[in-house]
Amino acid sequence: MIILNNVDKSFSGTEVLKDINLEICDSSIYGLVGYNGAGKTTLLNLIGGLYRPDKGEVLADIGEKRIKTTANEEYKRESFCVFDDPYHLPQATPESMARYYRGFYRNFSPELFAKLCKILDIDPEKRLNSFSKGMKRKSDLCFALASKARYLLLDESFDGLDPGVRMTVKDLLLEYMADTGATVVMASHNLHELEGVCDSVGLLNRQNIVFSCDIDDARSKYRRYRVGFSSEVTENKFKNFDLGNLKCEGKLIGFISGKEPETVRERLALVGDIILFEDHPMTLEEIFRYETTKGGEEIEISGLFS
């Protein structure tokens, strides 16, 4: 398990993360979502023990012990970080980098690395500096999976990969987690990349985790409603109803709610006769947009180019 307790992190006086509290379960794939610049990479560096928190602590389970991740060699030998712009030794090939990692990760498997190179179409004898971004990313995933580390931390791991390769990588991650019991944390600004592979997801916005829950729970928690009344209504009639993104158009209203449909309908019936009642599940992308704009003004683009 990975645990963050009241973690703050700033750079040059600029607060990047504030009061982060998060628990990531063992044997799971956790998706960390946020817009570019939200602090995902900083949070991964904290989890990986590469940054020291200004406040709070980051803990991880190793064997029977729960230890701080910062500057802890035992933890680093059980965690593998793949960042968006990874470092490779000058003139290195995938094969030579594999030998380098083998000296650090006690469970690194050369046989598994060779199989992964074939699956992802990597030539282990070519120089990494001649590879495209996508080829470098595939090589780094081969290193990570061959390490058999207990914790994999992946930053924008699908960036630069073909759609077919992305599906293969998702299958590999699911198999890795199932076979080794590892915990995988994947940071991305693209929700579509995380659907179908992550068990849980956390949304990072305004320096904090907006919410963190199972993906199935997130989908069941939020629903989009469209309700029609027998007479016209105004937004003022719903000011005490806690309806998100409320829009009124004559007799129709649209909104988002985390309450059960039966409860919503029962409360709205106090306003007037209901002649139309529709509820629809929301996609993760819709939930992300709703949560990250909550409390703020929506961007108005209608007629912008007229």
Side-chain angles (χ1 to χ4, degrees):
M1 177 175 280
I2 298 171
I3 301 173
L4 288 85
N5 292 322
N6 308 115
V7 171
D8 291 359
K9 187 62 183 177
S10 300
F11 295 99
S12 302
T14 300
E15 200 167 47
V16 179
L17 298 172
K18 181 175 178 60
D19 199 27
I20 298 291
N21 290 281
L22 181 63
E23 290 189 3
I24 302 174
C25 296
D26 291 333
S27 301
S28 67
I29 301 180
Y30 187 89
L32 183 63
V33 188
Y35 57 82
N36 291 329
K40 301 186 300 297
T41 300
T42 298
L43 187 51
L44 277 185
N45 273 291
L46 287 164
I47 293 173
L50 304 176
Y51 288 169
R52 187 184 302 275
D54 299 331
K55 172 192 160 190
E57 59 183 2
V58 184
L59 307 171
D61 292 340
I62 298 293
E64 300 299 319
K65 298 182 294 184
R66 181 162 291 173
I67 61 177
K68 290 186 178 181
T69 65
T70 306
N72 189 303
E73 183 177 338
E74 187 178 6
Y75 171 73
K76 290 186 177 181
R77 289 183 183 274
E78 290 292 340
S79 62
F80 198 111
C81 305
V82 177
F83 290 108
D84 192 33
D85 188 20
Y87 172 78
H88 300 118
L89 295 173
Q91 310 302 317
T93 65
E95 183 60 41
S96 65
M97 284 299 297
R99 291 195 298 271
Y100 169 80
Y101 286 122
R102 188 181 180 184
F104 187 78
Y105 292 97
R106 59 177 66 92
N107 295 320
F108 192 96
S109 171
E111 296 79 17
L112 176 57
F113 175 74
K115 291 178 182 178
L116 289 167
C117 284
K118 288 184 178 180
I119 291 172
L120 294 178
D121 194 24
I122 296 295
D123 186 341
E125 301 300 334
K126 283 191 174 182
R127 289 183 179 178
L128 282 160
N129 61 12
S130 70
F131 284 4
S132 66
K133 181 177 182 178
M135 293 293 287
K136 289 179 180 177
R137 185 57 51 90
K138 289 193 295 183
S139 299
D140 292 324
L141 288 168
C142 289
F143 303 141
L145 294 170
S147 74
K148 294 189 177 180
R150 178 169 178 176
Y151 298 105
L152 291 189
L153 310 177
L154 311 177
D155 191 13
E156 303 290 355
S157 299
F158 297 118
D159 194 21
L161 301 183
D162 298 336
V165 176
R166 293 184 186 189
M167 293 302 299
T168 300
V169 170
K170 286 183 179 182
D171 291 341
L172 288 170
L173 290 172
L174 289 168
E175 188 70 16
Y176 183 85
M177 186 268 292
D179 288 351
T180 67
T183 299
V184 182
V185 183
M186 303 177 62
S188 179
H189 65 277
N190 190 334
L191 275 162
H192 294 300
E193 293 179 345
L194 301 181
E195 288 192 87
V197 67
C198 293
D199 306 294
S200 304
V201 64
L203 301 187
L204 185 61
N205 187 45
R206 298 188 180 94
Q207 305 168 332
N208 210 323
I209 299 289
V210 177
F211 76 85
S212 177
C213 62
D214 291 345
I215 286 182
D216 289 340
D217 290 343
R219 288 197 180 106
S220 63
K221 178 181 177 182
Y222 296 92
R223 301 188 74 82
R224 186 179 296 280
Y225 290 86
R226 184 167 175 263
V227 181
F229 294 89
S230 58
S231 58
E232 290 193 6
V233 292
T234 62
E235 290 188 12
N236 189 54
K237 288 193 173 185
F238 305 98
K239 61 182 180 181
N240 297 320
F241 280 66
D242 190 26
L243 306 178
N245 289 7
L246 175 65
K247 296 185 187 305
C248 288
E249 296 181 6
K251 300 178 182 180
L252 289 173
I253 64 170
F255 59 91
I256 293 170
S257 176
K259 295 183 172 59
E260 293 293 325
E262 295 80 5
T263 303
V264 173
R265 183 169 191 140
E266 183 179 332
R267 290 208 63 198
L268 291 179
L270 300 175
V271 175
D273 294 331
I274 296 175
I275 59 174
L276 173 69
F277 188 88
E278 297 177 350
D279 67 285
H280 305 279
M282 295 174 63
T283 65
L284 280 179
E285 189 169 358
E286 289 174 324
I287 294 170
F288 171 72
R289 184 175 182 182
Y290 172 63
E291 283 290 347
T292 53
T293 58
K294 190 184 290 184
E297 295 183 2
E298 288 195 31
I299 299 174
E300 179 58 54
I301 61 174
S302 178
L304 180 64
F305 302 106
S306 59

